[in-house]
């Protein structure tokens, strides 16, 4: 049965698959070489501290939602996680993740598809669910997303959301402290012909849709779940 926002999710999937090709050209070889060399991690000091507090060295099972090319998830595995699984819309980015996992010499499960369609076999299968910067804005139904994250967790598990404060959505790169966008906007933003965030010389031709969620949406969704 189709769900609200299915068309938006399908369009964002096309955009991410297009974006993946450009990222492969400009950054994939660097990441492969870094993982092959050993001792590499994408985790910053804040993430390392939080994962340490969550007992990463004890081998917890970790799921990353909206994992892109799984570089963070591979870093989590290298830090001591047990079974790790990444979920993402983009088959093209997950193909990069498979290459990076081979370079790092680790086993990483990667599942293509909408996070809203994660199957029951993953229910209660993880000790930590991990979400990284930039993911939440692509999710049309945040409360449903957080409920799914909660479903994946074992009793006593932890949801680790490492995100930008949504107040940043009020501003544009050239606006300084002048507010350009409403904080409480509910309609998605549509982007057409924007420059790629990793390679500004490349224009992404596929449109995409991004959603402004307030901090109350995030915290309220977590409390409700």
């Amino acid at each position: 049965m189709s769900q609200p926002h299915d068309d938006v999710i399908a369009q964002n999937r096309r955009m991410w698959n297009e974006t993946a090709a450009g990222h492969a050209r400009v950054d994939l070889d660097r990441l492969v070489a870094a993982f092959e060399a050993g001792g590499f991690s994408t985790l910053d000091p804040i993430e390392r501290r939080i994962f340490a507090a969550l007992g990463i060295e004890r081998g917890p099972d970790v799921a990353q939602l909206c994992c892109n090319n799984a570089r963070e998830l591979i870093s989590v595995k290298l830090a001591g996680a047990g079974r790790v699984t990444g979920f993402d819309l983009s088959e093209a980015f997950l193909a990069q993740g498979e290459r990076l996992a081979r370079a790092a010499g680790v086993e990483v499960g990667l599942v293509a598809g909408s996070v809203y369609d994660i199957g029951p076999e993953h229910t209660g299968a993880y000790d930590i669910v991990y979400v990284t910067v930039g993911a939440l804005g692509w999710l049309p139904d945040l409360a449903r997303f957080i409920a799914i994250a909660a479903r994946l967790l074992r009793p006593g598990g932890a949801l680790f959301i490492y995100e930008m404060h949504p107040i940043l959505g009020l501003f544009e790169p050239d606006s300084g402290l002048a507010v350009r966008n409403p904080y409480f906007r509910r309609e998605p933003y549509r982007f057409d012909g924007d420059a790629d965030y990793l390679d500004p010389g490349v224009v992404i031709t596929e449109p995409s849709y991004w959603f402004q969620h307030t901090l109350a949406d995030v915290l309220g969704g977590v409390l409700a779940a």
Side-chain angles (χ1 to χ4, degrees), residues 32 35-36 74 94-108:
V32 167
F35 278 120
E36 285 179 339
I74 294 166
L94 292 181
Q96 294 181 29
E98 291 172 356
R99 184 177 171 192
L100 293 175
R102 289 194 299 271
V106 296
E107 184 175 343
V108 175

Side-chain angles (χ1 to χ4, degrees), residues 65-117:
L65 305 182
C66 309
C67 72
N68 194 269
N69 64 10
R71 60 194 180 276
E72 296 105 349
L73 188 64
I74 294 166
S75 299
V76 170
K77 176 68 175 176
L78 291 169
R83 182 170 65 95
V84 298
T85 308
F87 302 86
D88 199 85
L89 271 182
S90 170
E91 302 91 342
F93 268 121
L94 292 181
Q96 294 181 29
E98 291 172 356
R99 184 177 171 192
L100 293 175
R102 289 194 299 271
V106 296
E107 184 175 343
V108 175
L110 297 174
V111 180
S114 169
V115 292
Y116 296 114
D117 296 330

Side-chain angles (χ1 to χ4, degrees), residues 155-189:
L159 173 62
F160 176 14
I161 299 177
Y162 189 41
E163 253 293 7
M164 299 175 289
H165 195 295
I167 200 171
L168 293 178
L170 276 63
F171 309 103
E172 296 292 342
D174 62 348
S175 70
L177 295 178
V179 173
R180 294 278 183 87
N181 304 310
Y183 185 69
F184 296 101
R185 179 183 171 116
R186 289 307 180 189
E187 290 300 309
Y189 292 94

